[in-house]
Amino acid sequence: MVESGSKPPSREERKRCWFLRDQYFQCLDRCNIRDPATVEKTPEKAPECLELKKNYEEGCMASWVEYFNKRRVLDMRQKEYLKFSEEQSGRK
């Protein structure tokens, strides 16, 4: 898509990137995969997500893909930690 040094992505390009990201991440959720790097390392764990991964990576700037992937892992860890903390404290 857009490489560094060129003009920033348009509103439509950003919307398309977010749409492709969401589709890919939903597929990862269905496969119970937290880290998108898993699909890179072991594609057989989520063969149905490979085409979505390709579209996502082609439709978004590489720096955005890297950011979104890291953010997904961090967000999921945080949710798990909060759930664990609530269970330990007896609150729900």
Side-chain angles (χ1 to χ4, degrees):
M1 182 173 154
V2 179
E3 296 301 320
S4 61
S6 47
K7 66 181 178 69
S10 69
R11 177 178 289 147
E12 288 306 312
E13 289 170 329
R14 289 191 306 271
K15 282 183 182 179
R16 176 156 173 70
C17 172
W18 296 329
F19 174 76
L20 295 169
R21 174 205 59 196
D22 292 346
Q23 280 191 317
Y24 177 52
F25 285 3
Q26 287 169 6
C27 186
L28 295 180
D29 290 343
R30 287 190 299 273
C31 295
N32 294 316
I33 295 175
R34 174 198 312 206
D35 188 350
T38 302
V39 178
E40 190 72 35
K41 295 173 189 167
T42 52
E44 64 276 4
K45 287 190 175 185
E48 63 271 30
C49 299
L50 294 176
E51 186 67 25
L52 294 170
K53 176 184 182 301
K54 178 179 172 267
N55 294 340
Y56 163 57
E57 291 176 347
E58 289 176 356
C60 298
M61 293 188 311
S63 61
W64 286 26
V65 169
E66 182 180 348
Y67 172 79
F68 290 145
N69 290 352
K70 286 180 182 177
R71 188 79 245 161
R72 173 182 167 84
V73 173
L74 290 173
D75 286 346
M76 292 181 98
R77 279 188 192 149
Q78 184 178 35
K79 285 177 186 172
E80 288 172 1
Y81 176 76
L82 291 173
K83 182 180 176 188
F84 174 77
S85 293
E86 287 176 355
E87 289 170 356
Q88 293 299 309
S89 68
R91 287 182 279 143
K92 287 200 174 192

